[in-house]
Amino acid sequence: MTDAEAFYNREDLWTVATEVGMAEGGGQTTQAMQPNFVLMKLPDETGEEFVEILPFTPANRNNLIGWIAGRSDGAQYGTSVVYNFPKRSWSTDRCKSRRASTRTRSFPDN
């Protein structure tokens, strides 16, 4: 974080993405997304690995801002990697967070 105004306005504050789910009474409720466990090839890696991914949005918005992947295989066990999306390409479709399976560690702004 290098922009003091963005920091004090909490512009880049991440929260766990939410989704609509079913309440116990059968009605709809908004709930935090649970991590997805997938077998995938992360960018810049040579093979597939078992990872846990969790999408994030800016606070009080439904735009996908990035996700965190927790690694579970071999020498990378217990480490994580963060994938950021540039602000101008944030997705407003929450379903896209479930399809975000091949992203680079940081996306260029151009």
Side-chain angles (χ1 to χ4, degrees), residues 33-82:
M33 290 187 75
Q34 296 298 310
N36 292 296
F37 294 89
V38 296
L39 183 64
M40 65 182 286
K41 180 185 168 294
L42 293 171
D44 302 326
E45 296 296 331
T46 57
E48 292 182 336
E49 60 183 286
F50 188 66
V51 296
E52 175 183 26
I53 59 174
L54 185 60
F56 285 85
T57 61
N60 302 317
R61 291 191 224 137
N62 289 330
N63 303 353
L64 179 65
I65 190 173
W67 49 267
I68 295 176
R71 303 175 83 175
S72 301
D73 287 348
Q76 302 298 331
Y77 180 79
T79 63
S80 61
V81 62
V82 176

Side-chain angles (χ1 to χ4, degrees), residues 19-31:
E19 63 184 345
V20 176
M22 296 295 291
E24 288 189 29
Q28 291 186 342
T29 184
T30 301
Q31 59 195 25

Side-chain angles (χ1 to χ4, degrees), residues 76-92:
Q76 302 298 331
Y77 180 79
T79 63
S80 61
V81 62
V82 176
Y83 294 86
N84 295 308
F85 300 101
K87 287 184 181 181
R88 70 177 191 201
S89 70
W90 284 352
S91 169
T92 56

